[in-house]
Amino acid sequence: MSRPRIVIVGAGFAGYRTARTLSRLTRHQADITLLNPTDYFLYLPLLPQVAAGILEPRRVSVSLSGTLPHVRLVLGEADGIDLDGHTVHYTGPEGEEGTLPFDRLVLAAGSVNKLLPIPGVAEHAHGFRGLPEALYLRDHVTRQVELAAAADDRAECAARCTFVVVGAGYTGTEVAAHGAMYTDAQVRKHPMRTGMRPRWMLLDVAPRVMPEMDERLSRTAERVLRQRGVDVRMGTSVKEATHDGVVLTDGSTVDSRTLVWCVGVRPDPLVESLGLPMERGRLLVDPHLQVPGRPELFACGDVAAVPDLNQPGQYTPMTAQHAWRHGKVCAQNVAASLGIGERRAYRHRDMGFVVDLGGAKAAANPLGLPMSGPAAGAVTRGYHLAAMPGNRVRVAADWLLDAVLPRQAVQLGLVRSWSVPLESSSPEVARVPGGPERHGRAAGPTGQRPDVEETGNQPGGEPARNQPGGEPAKGQPGGEPARNQPGGESAKTQPGGEPAGSRSHGGRAKGGQSGSPRASGKPRRAVEAAGPRPAREGSGKPGRASRASGTGSAGKRPTAPSGPSRSAAPPTDPGPGPPANQPPPGPDIAPGPVKRTDRRAAEGDS
């Protein structure tokens, strides 16, 4: 008798824990496959330290194959789930297609940036949910301080060294706290000629910083921020974003070249394509993390609305702690469905939260005990070392080096502004030219991709579009790219959100990092329009017909799984790719942003 086949879509906090626990429980009695677009688990709570130059990127990236030896890793993005046929269809990082049959399926696809219909935000803001975004922010902040230091005009200097962070939750607070320390260290070594200093602003419509935490800890975090010179403005947010700055809801205008979007997350809309009962964008499951009426389907992390047995009528919030615990219980119940062990309901105990404010400062309430100062800093770092599934020695070594050596404030230019648009279904994967060409997820409110046109310079004073090695405007922030290239926020404060755009049921899903406050990781979905797709540059292979067309070529799978399409968007012109034999984009050259010409608001929750 063949062994049962278990497929896990997503390798974030929930998906990774599910795979690791199942591997131990089944003891080679089942074939476990993990589908993910990257080969690492991202420990998102430490991402602000990557942006601030404290930790190197690989420190927060835990190898999947190295820590899950008995789990088969498949690199790819799920773009179709046929529940009746028990198959998951996916596209690999080089455009190849494949199918994974399953007897049990675990959805742990996580969440995406929560967008609001604010003019200019999709074009000029950047999120903070993956390694590419953290690396881009580090380069961008470094570049702006260097340009401001060389500027003779005080107005230009002030705009370049003003950094606006929207969202005073866990992630936004940590980004502002670490960012202020990073830029202050830069100007201490190289003062600006105009005598100015960097200015960080933290905005939120909430009445206080980190409203989800105890009020005493909230006051502690705000006090630390203000001591570092951060302009904390509660009850205020962005009304409009432009290339030159932002207009606030109180009517004031702030000149800036940097807008970091940390307003929260919403469940990945892929689960809507299944046509199953939902709760505010999350897939409804029972206390055993099983989808009612579908004994083969389980869900955990941010995409699952799990009943909170400690608070009847409520659902567990979208946090890393819950996602990690979901994974363990989900694995136990999947194994029990195969006759291994017993089922158990998900029940949790609040262990508290920790917020790293940089240096020796932190705010924490372990087991409900409020702490601040160096003691909280020690507890916070100890918690992270204990929670990480790998790289502990390397992380501790980086912390030690940071305590005795100055940080290296250099910009590598490896991630460009257009590579990490805010409006992305896969923030953990940076867009790059020359990869497999696929149509992006529809971005308009009607499910269709809005028209875009090329405009001026990128935020941050980068040169205008169409430079050597750059991509056309259709791959820019503000509109979904013509090509989606292969490549987890602090505790999420929202229990869920409405998915963006109009989508039909039964379409495509995606596999990737699973959900948590900072545990995202969703594989990008390729929503392909009808008609042939050009061959990947330099591959020498003929173009493949899209799944929507129902025809195939070159021996590829001709049809998609049964069920209506996930996106009703008509075919769109992907635009020309980079010219052949063109040098890659340089560190100071990037195409300009795009603007919507259909006058529709950006997708997302209001």
Side-chain angles (χ1 to χ4, degrees):
M1 182 177 179
S2 62
R3 297 189 296 183
R5 298 160 299 184
I6 304 171
V7 174
I8 303 169
V9 178
F13 276 80
Y16 180 87
R17 185 79 183 277
T18 300
R20 193 173 75 170
T21 307
L22 266 175
S23 176
R24 175 177 56 85
L25 292 176
T26 57
R27 298 182 182 276
H28 308 290
Q29 299 179 48
D31 292 327
I32 305 172
T33 300
L34 182 61
L35 178 64
N36 200 54
T38 62
D39 64 350
Y40 59 82
F41 159 77
L42 179 62
Y43 190 77
L44 275 165
L46 293 180
L47 204 58
Q49 297 191 25
V50 175
I54 300 174
L55 297 177
E56 291 302 313
R58 285 188 175 87
R59 305 297 185 257
V60 298
S61 310
V62 179
S63 170
L64 295 177
S65 57
T67 56
L68 301 173
H70 304 299
V71 175
R72 177 194 175 202
L73 173 63
V74 175
L75 291 178
E77 305 163 18
D79 54 16
I81 296 179
D82 184 357
L83 292 178
D84 295 330
H86 285 209
T87 54
V88 175
H89 302 280
Y90 70 91
T91 301
E94 296 183 352
E96 68 278 13
E97 299 177 0
T99 302
L100 296 175
F102 64 83
D103 298 303
R104 298 292 184 272
L105 175 64
V106 178
L107 292 179
S111 52
V112 297
N113 286 315
K114 182 179 181 181
L115 300 180
L116 302 178
I118 299 175
V121 166
E123 292 84 358
H124 300 288
H126 290 281
F128 197 80
R129 297 190 47 73
L131 274 179
E133 292 172 321
L135 293 175
Y136 166 75
L137 182 61
R138 179 179 175 179
D139 276 2
H140 174 78
V141 170
T142 304
R143 178 169 60 252
Q144 293 311 304
V145 173
E146 292 170 347
L147 293 175
D152 293 320
D153 182 67
R154 288 184 63 86
E156 179 186 355
C157 178
R160 290 194 181 280
C161 62
T162 297
F163 307 96
V164 180
V165 180
V166 185
Y170 290 87
T171 295
T173 300
E174 291 188 346
V175 168
H178 282 281
M181 291 186 66
Y182 180 62
T183 53
D184 283 348
Q186 282 186 267
V187 298
R188 277 197 298 269
K189 292 186 293 183
H190 303 287
M192 299 182 183
R193 288 191 286 180
T194 56
M196 303 186 69
R197 296 188 65 83
R199 175 193 182 195
W200 284 79
M201 297 184 65
L202 181 62
L203 312 176
D204 203 308
V205 295
R208 58 188 175 90
V209 172
M210 296 188 300
E212 62 277 355
M213 288 194 74
D214 181 88
E215 188 172 352
R216 288 173 292 180
L217 298 178
S218 177
R219 289 197 301 265
T220 297
E222 183 172 349
R223 183 175 65 252
V224 171
L225 291 173
R226 293 189 184 278
Q227 288 173 351
R228 293 180 183 166
V230 178
D231 185 358
V232 181
R233 298 192 186 184
M234 294 294 98
T236 305
S237 189
V238 172
K239 183 179 180 181
E240 182 182 359
T242 67
H243 166 67
D244 297 319
V246 294
V247 179
L248 306 184
T249 53
D250 60 8
S252 61
T253 300
V254 178
D255 293 335
S256 174
R257 300 291 188 271
T258 308
L259 180 59
V260 186
W261 193 253
C262 302
V263 298
V265 296
R266 54 195 169 94
D268 192 300
L270 77 91
V271 292
E272 280 204 337
S273 65
L274 301 177
L276 298 173
M278 311 289 294
E279 169 62 29
R280 299 191 64 185
R282 293 195 282 177
L283 188 62
L284 275 173
V285 297
D286 61 23
H288 300 91
L289 306 181
Q290 195 169 24
V291 176
R294 287 284 182 177
E296 78 283 2
L297 181 60
F298 295 78
C300 54
D302 286 0
V303 298
V306 182
D308 190 341
L309 299 182
N310 296 329
Q311 303 181 55
Q314 302 294 321
Y315 297 94
T316 58
M318 298 163 63
T319 65
Q321 291 86 347
H322 281 292
W324 188 251
R325 299 169 188 171
H326 285 177
K328 180 179 180 180
V329 175
C330 183
Q332 291 173 334
N333 291 333
V334 170
S337 71
L338 300 175
I340 304 172
E342 298 181 356
R343 299 175 71 199
R344 57 171 290 194
Y346 178 73
R347 203 179 280 272
H348 71 93
R349 180 190 175 193
D350 187 3
M351 304 296 290
F353 294 96
V354 295
V355 179
D356 183 9
L357 300 176
K361 301 295 181 65
N365 62 341
L367 301 177
L369 177 64
M371 301 178 65
S372 60
V379 169
T380 298
R381 295 202 167 184
Y383 167 80
H384 287 315
L385 285 179
M388 289 193 69
N391 295 346
R392 296 186 181 96
V393 174
R394 290 184 171 92
V395 169
D398 273 6
W399 284 341
L400 179 60
L401 291 175
D402 180 70
V404 298
L405 297 176
R407 299 180 196 175
Q408 296 176 298
V410 295
Q411 48 168 322
L412 302 178
L414 299 178
V415 181
R416 313 309 312 283
S417 176
W418 53 267
S419 298
V420 285
L422 178 65
E423 199 170 18
S424 172
S425 60
S426 222
E428 77 281 358
V429 179
R431 295 176 183 172
V432 294
E437 187 165 332
R438 280 172 271 154
H439 292 283
R441 178 163 57 97
T446 62
Q448 298 180 359
R449 178 182 173 216
D451 294 330
V452 295
E453 66 181 38
E454 297 169 339
T455 63
N457 294 343
Q458 283 284 7
E462 294 174 347
R465 50 154 173 96
N466 293 341
Q467 299 295 338
E471 285 198 338
K474 290 185 181 177
Q476 306 305 319
E480 271 308 295
R483 294 170 306 190
N484 285 342
Q485 305 298 337
E489 154 149 323
S490 56
K492 294 163 177 97
T493 59
Q494 280 80 11
E498 296 302 320
S502 300
R503 288 182 172 81
S504 307
H505 295 301
R508 298 180 176 157
K510 81 181 176 174
Q513 305 258 7
S514 87
S516 75
R518 284 176 282 193
S520 84
K522 311 126 317 272
R524 294 165 311 145
R525 298 165 299 282
V527 180
E528 301 182 3
R533 181 179 67 186
R536 187 163 55 89
E537 186 175 0
S539 66
K541 296 179 182 179
R544 289 177 293 189
S546 73
R547 296 190 184 123
S549 67
T551 60
S553 64
K556 300 294 182 182
R557 181 168 49 86
T559 58
S562 60
S565 171
R566 179 172 182 179
S567 171
T572 56
D573 179 15
N581 302 320
Q582 191 72 274
D588 296 322
I589 299 178
V594 297
K595 63 182 180 182
R596 302 180 188 278
T597 59
D598 55 357
R599 299 182 179 177
R600 289 182 291 185
E603 64 166 309
D605 296 344
S606 59

